[in-house]
Amino acid sequence: MAFLRPDLVLAEKVLAIGGLVALFGGFAALIYGEFAPSVGFQGLVDQGIGGAGFLAMGAGVLCFVPLVARDPWRARPRTSEGRRMARRKAAREACIIALNLVCYVGTAFVALGALTALDRAPIAAGATFVLCVATFLLYRRHRKRNRQTYELIKPIGIVLVMLAFSAAAATAGGLQASRAAADTLEGPRKQTCVLSGFDEHRPTGRFASLSTAELVVEFIGEDGQSVRLSIKEQDRAVLRQIVDANGIARITYYPRTGVFVDAEPLGENRATDGISGAS
């Protein structure tokens, strides 16, 4: 991949450096938003910062697309015969990739399906499983003896993956940032609510340290609609407001982003009257 090589022009070097800055800056924004306060107006601001982080990472990956496509584009055939041969080679490589998917992924799925059907049709399922394993092993042996390079398809595949990542990041970041902007313009909403559920999502896996636990609190509002609010582990103390209100309170929150602001306890009579429709 061309990256800060001596033969890069100034514009390409600017793209590479700008892409790195956007990638690392966007990642830093996402990490900040993950561990920053998640309640009140500051929580709303952090939602916008997280959306900007996604947008920055998408833009950073997009900056590298011209650099990845640079060498294959310059090495493209210039004659009609060369372009015709290149199309044939690309088609052959694409067919081999499709065959790889069928013989590797396809046989694996069929074999798993055969295993689940062993108790209902043991003979047919057993024969299918053996056939899938044999196909997998024979094709793998064939590929080792006849190794294939993907000189034309590989750069195209990398570019398509990068474009897909950029589109996904732009979509996620744009939606998150637009919701935060709309809530900022319209302000928080107040509504008498009844606590209806609580769930806690803790991160697992190798990169669990890069995210924090999320506490999801669900309410039933005056209009009977469900209100779902998300609170990060570091703001667990604000749940005391809901506990002190015995699960019935006037909740202030941002509706689009689900950011909790505060909860005001109600008197017993007011609470009963206020939520009679929701109940």
mmCIF file of all heavy atoms in Angstrom, residues 13 18-19 28-29 69 81-82 87-88 95 102 117 120 132 141 147 153 194 205 208 212 217 222 228 230 233 244 254:
data_model
loop_
_atom_site.group_PDB
_atom_site.id
_atom_site.type_symbol
_atom_site.label_atom_id
_atom_site.label_comp_id
_atom_site.label_asym_id
_atom_site.label_seq_id
_atom_site.Cartn_x
_atom_site.Cartn_y
_atom_site.Cartn_z
ATOM 1 N N LYS A 13 0.321 12.909 0.317
ATOM 2 C CA LYS A 13 0.865 12.924 1.683
ATOM 3 C C LYS A 13 -0.096 13.625 2.644
ATOM 4 O O LYS A 13 -0.276 13.179 3.787
ATOM 5 C CB LYS A 13 2.224 13.613 1.686
ATOM 6 C CG LYS A 13 3.311 12.848 0.953
ATOM 7 C CD LYS A 13 4.640 13.578 1.010
ATOM 8 C CE LYS A 13 5.728 12.791 0.273
ATOM 9 N NZ LYS A 13 7.038 13.486 0.287
ATOM 10 N N GLY A 18 -3.820 13.410 6.991
ATOM 11 C CA GLY A 18 -5.170 13.761 7.423
ATOM 12 C C GLY A 18 -5.987 12.543 7.800
ATOM 13 O O GLY A 18 -6.752 12.575 8.764
ATOM 14 N N GLY A 19 -5.801 11.448 7.064
ATOM 15 C CA GLY A 19 -6.515 10.219 7.407
ATOM 16 C C GLY A 19 -6.100 9.681 8.765
ATOM 17 O O GLY A 19 -6.942 9.240 9.557
ATOM 18 N N ALA A 28 -10.266 8.532 19.640
ATOM 19 C CA ALA A 28 -10.157 9.208 20.940
ATOM 20 C C ALA A 28 -11.506 9.784 21.360
ATOM 21 O O ALA A 28 -11.876 9.735 22.539
ATOM 22 C CB ALA A 28 -9.098 10.308 20.866
ATOM 23 N N ALA A 29 -12.265 10.341 20.396
ATOM 24 C CA ALA A 29 -13.584 10.884 20.718
ATOM 25 C C ALA A 29 -14.533 9.781 21.181
ATOM 26 O O ALA A 29 -15.319 9.976 22.110
ATOM 27 C CB ALA A 29 -14.156 11.609 19.500
ATOM 28 N N ALA A 69 -5.922 2.618 -4.014
ATOM 29 C CA ALA A 69 -6.239 2.412 -5.430
ATOM 30 C C ALA A 69 -5.193 3.020 -6.363
ATOM 31 O O ALA A 69 -5.268 2.809 -7.579
ATOM 32 C CB ALA A 69 -7.611 3.012 -5.737
ATOM 33 N N GLU A 81 -6.468 -4.977 -25.914
ATOM 34 C CA GLU A 81 -6.153 -6.382 -25.651
ATOM 35 C C GLU A 81 -5.789 -6.591 -24.190
ATOM 36 O O GLU A 81 -6.210 -7.572 -23.556
ATOM 37 C CB GLU A 81 -5.006 -6.830 -26.556
ATOM 38 C CG GLU A 81 -4.594 -8.289 -26.368
ATOM 39 C CD GLU A 81 -5.709 -9.255 -26.753
ATOM 40 O OE1 GLU A 81 -6.593 -8.872 -27.548
ATOM 41 O OE2 GLU A 81 -5.699 -10.392 -26.238
ATOM 42 N N GLY A 82 -5.018 -5.671 -23.643
ATOM 43 C CA GLY A 82 -4.646 -5.787 -22.233
ATOM 44 C C GLY A 82 -5.842 -5.668 -21.321
ATOM 45 O O GLY A 82 -5.951 -6.402 -20.326
ATOM 46 N N ARG A 87 -9.866 -8.217 -17.753
ATOM 47 C CA ARG A 87 -11.252 -8.576 -17.395
ATOM 48 C C ARG A 87 -11.400 -10.079 -17.242
ATOM 49 O O ARG A 87 -12.094 -10.552 -16.329
ATOM 50 C CB ARG A 87 -12.213 -8.037 -18.448
ATOM 51 C CG ARG A 87 -12.449 -6.532 -18.374
ATOM 52 C CD ARG A 87 -13.652 -6.121 -19.209
ATOM 53 N NE ARG A 87 -13.445 -6.380 -20.627
ATOM 54 C CZ ARG A 87 -12.949 -5.480 -21.474
ATOM 55 N NH1 ARG A 87 -12.576 -4.279 -21.051
ATOM 56 N NH2 ARG A 87 -12.817 -5.776 -22.762
ATOM 57 N N ARG A 88 -10.776 -10.831 -18.133
ATOM 58 C CA ARG A 88 -10.848 -12.287 -18.027
ATOM 59 C C ARG A 88 -10.190 -12.776 -16.731
ATOM 60 O O ARG A 88 -10.721 -13.658 -16.048
ATOM 61 C CB ARG A 88 -10.167 -12.922 -19.228
ATOM 62 C CG ARG A 88 -10.911 -12.732 -20.553
ATOM 63 C CD ARG A 88 -10.110 -13.299 -21.692
ATOM 64 N NE ARG A 88 -10.793 -13.119 -22.977
ATOM 65 C CZ ARG A 88 -10.249 -13.409 -24.156
ATOM 66 N NH1 ARG A 88 -8.999 -13.911 -24.207
ATOM 67 N NH2 ARG A 88 -10.928 -13.219 -25.266
ATOM 68 N N CYS A 95 -14.525 -15.899 -9.768
ATOM 69 C CA CYS A 95 -15.124 -17.241 -9.741
ATOM 70 C C CYS A 95 -14.455 -18.129 -8.705
ATOM 71 O O CYS A 95 -15.116 -18.908 -8.009
ATOM 72 C CB CYS A 95 -15.033 -17.875 -11.120
ATOM 73 S SG CYS A 95 -16.104 -17.108 -12.361
ATOM 74 N N VAL A 102 -18.219 -21.329 -1.420
ATOM 75 C CA VAL A 102 -19.104 -22.493 -1.466
ATOM 76 C C VAL A 102 -18.459 -23.692 -0.784
ATOM 77 O O VAL A 102 -19.097 -24.379 0.038
ATOM 78 C CB VAL A 102 -19.482 -22.824 -2.922
ATOM 79 C CG1 VAL A 102 -20.230 -24.160 -2.990
ATOM 80 C CG2 VAL A 102 -20.329 -21.714 -3.521
ATOM 81 N N ALA A 117 -29.569 -32.631 12.449
ATOM 82 C CA ALA A 117 -30.630 -33.528 11.960
ATOM 83 C C ALA A 117 -30.301 -35.001 12.169
ATOM 84 O O ALA A 117 -31.045 -35.868 11.689
ATOM 85 C CB ALA A 117 -30.879 -33.262 10.468
ATOM 86 N N ARG A 120 -33.126 -37.145 13.722
ATOM 87 C CA ARG A 120 -34.346 -37.364 12.944
ATOM 88 C C ARG A 120 -34.104 -38.259 11.731
ATOM 89 O O ARG A 120 -34.966 -39.065 11.378
ATOM 90 C CB ARG A 120 -34.919 -36.012 12.496
ATOM 91 C CG ARG A 120 -35.308 -35.103 13.658
ATOM 92 C CD ARG A 120 -36.053 -33.883 13.164
ATOM 93 N NE ARG A 120 -35.227 -33.083 12.263
ATOM 94 C CZ ARG A 120 -34.412 -32.118 12.660
ATOM 95 N NH1 ARG A 120 -34.309 -31.855 13.972
ATOM 96 N NH2 ARG A 120 -33.698 -31.432 11.790
ATOM 97 N N CYS A 132 -19.762 -33.518 3.124
ATOM 98 C CA CYS A 132 -19.295 -32.144 3.337
ATOM 99 C C CYS A 132 -17.838 -32.123 3.800
ATOM 100 O O CYS A 132 -17.025 -31.324 3.319
ATOM 101 C CB CYS A 132 -20.182 -31.438 4.365
ATOM 102 S SG CYS A 132 -21.838 -31.053 3.773
ATOM 103 N N ARG A 141 -7.012 -29.491 -0.267
ATOM 104 C CA ARG A 141 -5.818 -30.115 -0.842
ATOM 105 C C ARG A 141 -5.562 -29.581 -2.247
ATOM 106 O O ARG A 141 -4.414 -29.300 -2.623
ATOM 107 C CB ARG A 141 -6.000 -31.635 -0.865
ATOM 108 C CG ARG A 141 -4.830 -32.404 -1.440
ATOM 109 C CD ARG A 141 -5.157 -33.886 -1.467
ATOM 110 N NE ARG A 141 -4.062 -34.659 -2.050
ATOM 111 C CZ ARG A 141 -4.122 -35.962 -2.294
ATOM 112 N NH1 ARG A 141 -5.230 -36.629 -2.001
ATOM 113 N NH2 ARG A 141 -3.080 -36.594 -2.819
ATOM 114 N N ARG A 147 -2.018 -22.956 -5.942
ATOM 115 C CA ARG A 147 -2.191 -21.680 -5.251
ATOM 116 C C ARG A 147 -2.558 -20.581 -6.245
ATOM 117 O O ARG A 147 -2.041 -20.521 -7.348
ATOM 118 C CB ARG A 147 -0.925 -21.301 -4.490
ATOM 119 C CG ARG A 147 -0.604 -22.270 -3.350
ATOM 120 C CD ARG A 147 0.467 -21.726 -2.439
ATOM 121 N NE ARG A 147 0.705 -22.619 -1.319
ATOM 122 C CZ ARG A 147 -0.003 -22.627 -0.195
ATOM 123 N NH1 ARG A 147 -0.991 -21.756 -0.054
ATOM 124 N NH2 ARG A 147 0.275 -23.471 0.785
ATOM 125 N N ILE A 153 -8.483 -8.617 -8.052
ATOM 126 C CA ILE A 153 -9.648 -8.567 -7.176
ATOM 127 C C ILE A 153 -9.295 -8.026 -5.795
ATOM 128 O O ILE A 153 -10.093 -7.315 -5.172
ATOM 129 C CB ILE A 153 -10.288 -9.957 -7.055
ATOM 130 C CG1 ILE A 153 -10.868 -10.384 -8.407
ATOM 131 C CG2 ILE A 153 -11.368 -9.983 -5.992
ATOM 132 C CD1 ILE A 153 -11.999 -9.519 -8.895
ATOM 133 N N VAL A 194 -43.663 5.624 35.299
ATOM 134 C CA VAL A 194 -43.591 4.502 36.230
ATOM 135 C C VAL A 194 -42.441 3.598 35.797
ATOM 136 O O VAL A 194 -42.339 3.240 34.619
ATOM 137 C CB VAL A 194 -44.906 3.698 36.247
ATOM 138 C CG1 VAL A 194 -44.811 2.544 37.245
ATOM 139 C CG2 VAL A 194 -46.072 4.592 36.566
ATOM 140 N N GLY A 205 -15.224 -9.899 26.587
ATOM 141 C CA GLY A 205 -14.313 -10.111 25.481
ATOM 142 C C GLY A 205 -12.970 -9.444 25.688
ATOM 143 O O GLY A 205 -12.670 -8.849 26.731
ATOM 144 N N ALA A 208 -12.915 -5.510 26.382
ATOM 145 C CA ALA A 208 -13.910 -5.039 27.345
ATOM 146 C C ALA A 208 -13.443 -3.794 28.092
ATOM 147 O O ALA A 208 -14.256 -2.978 28.524
ATOM 148 C CB ALA A 208 -14.228 -6.152 28.344
ATOM 149 N N THR A 212 -17.551 0.704 28.875
ATOM 150 C CA THR A 212 -18.044 0.658 30.239
ATOM 151 C C THR A 212 -19.425 0.025 30.276
ATOM 152 O O THR A 212 -20.096 -0.097 29.253
ATOM 153 C CB THR A 212 -18.104 2.078 30.832
ATOM 154 O OG1 THR A 212 -18.512 2.006 32.194
ATOM 155 C CG2 THR A 212 -19.084 2.937 30.060
ATOM 156 N N VAL A 217 -32.690 1.785 31.817
ATOM 157 C CA VAL A 217 -33.864 1.913 32.674
ATOM 158 C C VAL A 217 -35.069 2.177 31.788
ATOM 159 O O VAL A 217 -35.042 3.069 30.932
ATOM 160 C CB VAL A 217 -33.686 3.057 33.691
ATOM 161 C CG1 VAL A 217 -34.820 3.043 34.704
ATOM 162 C CG2 VAL A 217 -32.342 2.943 34.402
ATOM 163 N N GLU A 222 -46.937 8.821 30.726
ATOM 164 C CA GLU A 222 -48.347 9.168 30.883
ATOM 165 C C GLU A 222 -49.179 8.745 29.675
ATOM 166 O O GLU A 222 -50.357 8.419 29.801
ATOM 167 C CB GLU A 222 -48.482 10.682 31.078
ATOM 168 C CG GLU A 222 -47.861 11.185 32.370
ATOM 169 C CD GLU A 222 -47.832 12.697 32.418
ATOM 170 O OE1 GLU A 222 -47.319 13.308 31.463
ATOM 171 O OE2 GLU A 222 -48.331 13.249 33.423
ATOM 172 N N ARG A 228 -37.171 4.649 27.263
ATOM 173 C CA ARG A 228 -35.969 3.856 27.506
ATOM 174 C C ARG A 228 -34.777 4.805 27.643
ATOM 175 O O ARG A 228 -34.438 5.521 26.708
ATOM 176 C CB ARG A 228 -35.747 2.871 26.354
ATOM 177 C CG ARG A 228 -34.601 1.903 26.543
ATOM 178 C CD ARG A 228 -34.477 1.025 25.301
ATOM 179 N NE ARG A 228 -33.368 0.108 25.386
ATOM 180 C CZ ARG A 228 -33.450 -1.145 25.831
ATOM 181 N NH1 ARG A 228 -34.614 -1.602 26.240
ATOM 182 N NH2 ARG A 228 -32.396 -1.933 25.859
ATOM 183 N N SER A 230 -30.644 5.420 28.959
ATOM 184 C CA SER A 230 -29.365 4.733 29.124
ATOM 185 C C SER A 230 -28.464 5.549 30.039
ATOM 186 O O SER A 230 -28.283 6.755 29.833
ATOM 187 C CB SER A 230 -28.701 4.533 27.760
ATOM 188 O OG SER A 230 -27.418 3.959 27.909
ATOM 189 N N GLU A 233 -22.104 3.325 33.706
ATOM 190 C CA GLU A 233 -21.715 2.842 35.033
ATOM 191 C C GLU A 233 -21.222 3.963 35.926
ATOM 192 O O GLU A 233 -21.503 3.995 37.126
ATOM 193 C CB GLU A 233 -20.637 1.764 34.876
ATOM 194 C CG GLU A 233 -20.001 1.290 36.172
ATOM 195 C CD GLU A 233 -20.949 0.473 37.029
ATOM 196 O OE1 GLU A 233 -21.894 -0.104 36.477
ATOM 197 O OE2 GLU A 233 -20.744 0.427 38.254
ATOM 198 N N ASP A 244 -35.456 6.605 45.398
ATOM 199 C CA ASP A 244 -36.113 7.417 46.422
ATOM 200 C C ASP A 244 -37.551 7.755 46.055
ATOM 201 O O ASP A 244 -38.381 7.998 46.934
ATOM 202 C CB ASP A 244 -35.324 8.715 46.642
ATOM 203 C CG ASP A 244 -33.964 8.447 47.285
ATOM 204 O OD1 ASP A 244 -33.791 7.346 47.858
ATOM 205 O OD2 ASP A 244 -33.074 9.320 47.190
ATOM 206 N N TYR A 254 -33.946 13.612 27.610
ATOM 207 C CA TYR A 254 -33.899 13.981 26.201
ATOM 208 C C TYR A 254 -34.453 12.793 25.400
ATOM 209 O O TYR A 254 -33.853 11.716 25.421
ATOM 210 C CB TYR A 254 -32.479 14.313 25.769
ATOM 211 C CG TYR A 254 -31.963 15.609 26.374
ATOM 212 C CD1 TYR A 254 -31.143 15.592 27.501
ATOM 213 C CD2 TYR A 254 -32.299 16.834 25.816
ATOM 214 C CE1 TYR A 254 -30.673 16.771 28.050
ATOM 215 C CE2 TYR A 254 -31.824 18.020 26.364
ATOM 216 C CZ TYR A 254 -31.020 17.980 27.483
ATOM 217 O OH TYR A 254 -30.551 19.151 28.028
#
